[in-house]
């Protein structure tokens, strides 16, 4: 709760049980950016939505923010038109790439049609391989394989 009034973007990699997607949350503005490389809507995963809404409501309570009953459900979910995967196995790498793209730009919001700098319908094999290599290098540097 340090700096609880500072605007930040928190990343939550979420596994639905067989698929990775990314949630980027701005708790001050109560905005959840939903990035799913399969193109599903967040209503596909109602347990996830209830969990995140509950966390944001608890955060609101910790900040002593009072809302009306109408405002209690004022959490905004935004589906981002992010690059889509062409297979059933690369979702984790896409989720990592979405996080990397957002961090590289240092922004506190994600446009609904994704970042102009990284906009494409699909990542190329080279773009997916790049994030795989970066992940491997990160794991090697952590020395997790010794």
């Amino acid at each position: 709760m340090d700096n609880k009034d500072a605007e930040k973007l928190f990343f939550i990699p979420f596994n639905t049980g067989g698929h990775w997607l990314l949630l980027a949350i701005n708790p001050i503005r109560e905005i959840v950016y939903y990035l799913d490389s399969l193109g599903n809507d967040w209503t596909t995963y109602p347990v996830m939505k209830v969990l995140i809404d509950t966390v944001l409501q608890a955060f609101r309570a910790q900040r002593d923010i009072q809302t009306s009953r109408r405002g209690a459900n004022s959490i905004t979910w935004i589906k981002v038109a992010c690059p889509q995967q062409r297979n059933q196995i690369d979702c984790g790498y896409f989720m990592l790439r979405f996080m990397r793209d957002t961090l590289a730009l240092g922004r506190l919001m994600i446009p609904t049609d994704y970042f102009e700098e990284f906009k494409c319908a699909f990542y190329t094999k080279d773009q997916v391989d790049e994030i795989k290599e970066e992940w491997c290098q990160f794991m090697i540097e952590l020395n997790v394989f010794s």
Side-chain angles (χ1 to χ4, degrees):
M1 291 302 296
D2 291 342
N3 298 320
K4 64 183 176 183
D5 295 321
E7 200 166 327
K8 299 175 185 166
L9 201 59
F10 293 88
F11 296 99
I12 300 178
F14 193 90
N15 189 288
T16 65
H19 173 58
W20 285 100
L21 55 88
L22 181 65
L23 304 172
I25 301 172
N26 182 326
I28 300 298
R29 294 183 186 250
E30 296 189 347
I31 296 174
V32 179
Y33 298 99
Y34 174 84
L35 296 95
D36 185 349
S37 60
L38 289 179
N40 295 322
D41 193 73
W42 62 79
T43 58
T44 307
Y45 313 109
V47 172
M48 173 195 69
K49 185 171 184 321
V50 169
L51 173 69
I52 299 303
D53 285 351
T54 301
V55 167
L56 285 172
Q57 289 166 357
F59 181 74
R60 181 191 304 147
Q62 287 292 318
R63 292 178 59 229
D64 292 324
I65 302 297
Q66 302 297 319
T67 60
S68 66
R69 284 185 183 252
R70 178 178 288 161
N73 293 325
S74 64
I75 297 165
T76 303
W77 282 72
I78 298 174
K79 182 179 179 182
V80 177
C82 54
Q84 300 295 288
Q85 66 188 74
R86 298 184 203 195
N87 61 33
Q88 297 297 314
I89 58 173
D90 285 338
C91 57
Y93 297 114
F94 274 67
M95 179 270 305
L96 290 170
R97 182 81 192 211
F98 299 153
M99 197 178 328
R100 179 178 162 261
D101 290 352
T102 306
L103 289 169
L105 295 172
R107 299 196 184 144
L108 292 175
M109 62 155 295
I110 302 173
T112 57
D113 57 351
Y114 207 55
F115 299 112
E116 192 63 39
E117 297 87 340
F118 300 110
K119 192 183 297 183
C120 58
F122 307 97
Y123 286 134
T124 65
K125 181 182 181 320
D126 287 343
Q127 288 172 305
V128 174
D129 287 347
E130 180 182 29
I131 200 71
K132 288 178 181 180
E133 289 173 18
E134 287 178 13
W135 179 250
C136 288
Q137 187 61 41
F138 175 74
M139 296 303 285
I140 289 167
E141 289 173 7
L142 283 179
N143 211 16
V144 297
F145 300 110
S146 59

